[in-house]
Amino acid sequence: MTDLVSVASNAVQSYQRALGTVSNNIANVSTDGYSRQEVVLAANPVAKVGTVYLGTGVTVDTVKRQYDTFAETNLRNSNSELSSQEPMVNYANRVIDIMGSTSMGLSGALDQFFNAARDLSSDPASTVMRGSFLRDSENLAARFGELSGQLDLVQEETDEAVKSYANAMNTIFKQLAAVNTQMTKQKSVDLQPADLLDQRDVLLKDLSSYVHIKTGFAENGAVTVSLGPSLTRDVVVDGVKSFMLGTNFNSAAPEKVSLVLDPYGASTTLSGISGGKLSGIMSFREQVLGSSRSSLDTLANNFVKEVNAIHTSGIDAYGNTGIELFTIDTNSVGAAGTVKVNLNDPLKVSAAAQFRIIEAPNNTGGADAGIVYVGKPTNGPPDITLALVNNPSSSAAITVKPTVSRPVAAVATIPNGLENISVLMGEADPGQELQIFTRDGRQLAGKKVDTATQSLILTEANGFATNASYSDTYLNVNGANSYKDINVFYGAKASVGAVLQADSTETDPTKHSTLAKVAVPATLQSDRIQTGLTSIASGLFKLNGVTLPEISVLTGTLQASDIATKIQAAGISGITASAKNEIHIPVNQLKLDLPLSLKSGNASGFTVIKAVPTGLTSVQGLIDAINSKSSSTDVRAYLGSDGTLVLTNTTGNEGKDIAIDSSASPNALGLKAITYGGQISISRALVDGVDTPIELGFANGAPADLAKMGFKTGAYLSGTADEDLLVFVTGPGEAKVSTGYTGKPIDAKQALRTAPLQVRFDSPTHFSIVDVNTDTVVASRNFDPNYLEPAFTYQGIQISLSNPPKAGDIFVIDGNKDGTGNNENMLALIDLESEPVMGGGKTFAAAYIDNVNDMGNIARQATISQSALQVVYDQALSARDQVSGVSLDEEAADLVRYQQAYQAAAKILQVASQLFDSVLQVR
């Protein structure tokens, strides 16, 4: 009887627990993350009764949590992938709505701007039209600012979203660490409470919505979580410890953000995350937001640059050069937001071009002419301010080496704006000449070049204009017939100098007053003459217009004193000539223990100053030794004011050669043992009210002849040519070139505007360009009338003609000082609308639309990916629910089954009770 009761009571108790478990499943059917629980029943051990084994009932073995590791991991991964698309879809569509909007987008504002330019071009003198153009310019600038501001708002929102996601993840990290702490109470996952395991899996699933995670589970169910490429890298939960995730925004590139693990400890930058909302929003910031901002800024920068380039090349209604229409801070992040209109006076709108061309009323060809400035020519040799030092002395010269095979060497380009230019060539070899040309082949200084040399010089590579022709009309010409009235001299020249005077009556130097400058006579100083000469032929040179006679000696070699004497004897008005010979030797160069022998002039032999051993111990001792032999050598020495030892001629022997004996080389002076020629000085007396320069030019001589007398050949240009000039050295050999000038380079374009030009067609195939102010023919070119659109360029001005002109046609070019009724600059601005100035050969509008389309494609792809990943997620969720989900149908079936079993067990108890009662009633 007791066995029956025991079996029945065990059954009642077990099925009661089973019914409770089923009831708990039904109650949690909608609980997120709940895993279905199932009671596992097991038979009690059998009991042996006699020779028979009888069952002892049932017991609850365990309550099993329905869980599949693969299904749960797959659900987390698919959740990460799906969540990553949400920020991209939402925010990308918002950016598209901003930039593609008709009311806020840029396309409409660009159209308005260029339409306003068209309206103004139809009536450039209208102040109303100018004001309308300014308003539409301001509207466009404001539109750039609004778009940039909207992107800033999206930027700020995503900044906060990133921070919010990071904070939410940090909270989950802490919660997982707390769950792990509770799990330490049990050694096996099977002993852990099912609800605790569910809590762990819910937290992991929530975390997977922010970022793709890697997980590892301990034997007791505790989880390790990593955000890195492997479970051991970038660990955020490790047992009972969790690590904080921080954010670091880049101010230079606001769309970029780096994630820092454990920012307040041993911080490390995450190597890279994938999946989840955090990864999605970071992808949006870089791919869409950053790209949109960069494209907008690039568009704004290019637009402002191109518009300003055109606007500053025009003329406003006041006749002044245009200023920039827009300003922009190119160094700013979000440069588009800094676009502003730079002027508020409608009359300062540059509608007119800086140049205009006017057809003469008597032209018979009917050609309409157009003009545009295409830029200063940049071909040819380097700028003289870069190639040479502004110092005419020999110490600052550069070496130029034309060769036999190519006897032309380009030296430098003299830029427009330099004044009072002197280009000097020293140590010239026979046949070498210094030549100066304009870019159109007008030779201004030097010696006329033959046809063969012209073909070598007049090339585009050398800086000449296309179709340039050679002319020597202005070669070395001064006065009214010179090139643009500049004075040119070729030879050796010295001008009258001036010395600043001061009133030094007061003892305090700060109180000295400046007086008028005092003129100083012109002095032409040579370098050392060439030694060993016996004569210089007559008719080679002209000194201030007077041809110099032959200079020769009957015996010996020509001395500097001989040359000076002959020049003095020529009787040229105001001219005096003298000679000297000074050799300056640094004292640290002296070798007092070495011998020295000297001679002067045409002396037959050397005089020994000191032999070895010299016995000299001081510089003064050497000076005394030289001076002790002056009566024999005609050479004396002294210590100069600059601290050098000076070797010179004795009185009455000024200008004679000084030679150092080569048999005593090295020598006490530390100099090369050669003959040192003297130097010539030519002066001209001042005349009140008259310019009194010294000009030693060529009659039949050449630079190599002038070098024999120690003079450098120079090309001297007084004034400015108002254009670039080209410098060459012709003739094989080696020459030293130096320069001196005043002034500085100027804006070639503005200089050109001040010089009106006439284009004169003397035949249908030839024209000349004439400087109106000076009546100088600055260019003479051939013209091909067979071109479909005839055109030519001069000094950066491009002239186009509608059809070939006829002989006698004249076109006048000027700086368009009165630009009120001229619309050429505004027409150039209108043309900018269709110019491919953006990357990939796109216009402004096309580049903007393409960027919006690119963003739309990204958003569309994200939407498609989201739909596809939703299916994957739903499948993963279904797979998980098949294992862990609660099915009400199954639970209802279990409920009925366990209810019936419970009722049956209860019936057994009832039967046992009745049997017990029956036994008790037995008498």
Side-chain angles (χ1 to χ4, degrees), residues 345-429:
D345 184 355
L347 295 180
K348 288 189 175 181
V349 173
S350 300
Q354 290 192 19
F355 294 94
R356 67 179 173 184
I357 185 166
I358 304 171
E359 300 86 2
N362 297 327
N363 286 1
T364 59
D368 292 327
I371 188 169
V372 61
Y373 186 77
V374 295
K376 172 186 174 181
T378 57
N379 55 320
D383 193 305
I384 200 169
T385 61
L386 303 175
L388 292 167
V389 178
N390 186 10
N391 182 353
S393 69
S394 300
S395 61
I398 64 171
T399 301
V400 180
K401 299 179 180 179
T403 62
V404 174
S405 60
R406 186 168 182 79
V408 173
V411 178
T413 299
I414 301 174
N416 190 351
L418 299 191
E419 299 177 321
N420 303 318
I421 302 157
S422 60
V423 182
L424 308 177
M425 179 177 66
E427 303 179 19
D429 288 328

Side-chain angles (χ1 to χ4, degrees), residues 278-308:
L278 182 58
S279 173
I281 202 167
M282 291 175 69
S283 296
F284 160 77
R285 288 163 64 92
E286 293 189 14
Q287 295 178 20
V288 177
L289 184 59
S291 177
S292 297
R293 185 187 296 281
S294 176
S295 298
L296 184 64
D297 288 348
T298 299
L299 179 64
N301 280 317
N302 285 355
F303 180 81
V304 170
K305 182 184 74 173
E306 296 294 336
V307 170
N308 284 347

Side-chain angles (χ1 to χ4, degrees), residues 784-799:
D784 188 349
N786 296 318
Y787 278 106
L788 182 63
E789 296 181 355
F792 60 90
T793 302
Y794 173 76
Q795 298 289 332
I797 299 174
Q798 185 180 79
I799 295 94

Side-chain angles (χ1 to χ4, degrees), residues 38 57 65 126 223 277 303 427 446 478 540 841 844 853 878 919:
E38 181 180 352
R65 178 174 176 260
S126 170
V223 65
K277 291 184 285 188
F303 180 81
E427 303 179 19
N478 290 316
L540 296 180
F844 293 125
N853 289 338
S878 177
V919 171

Side-chain angles (χ1 to χ4, degrees), residues 4 82 98 134 140 276 330 345 363 373 440 448 485 514 525 542 580 704 777 795 805 810 822 836 881 909 920:
L4 186 63
L82 177 61
I98 293 171
L134 267 189
L140 179 57
T330 56
D345 184 355
N363 286 1
Y373 186 77
D440 251 274
K448 181 178 179 179
D485 293 343
T514 302
Q525 181 67 52
K542 288 186 176 181
K580 67 177 181 178
V777 178
Q795 298 289 332
I810 296 176
N822 185 286
D881 286 346
L909 281 177
L920 291 177

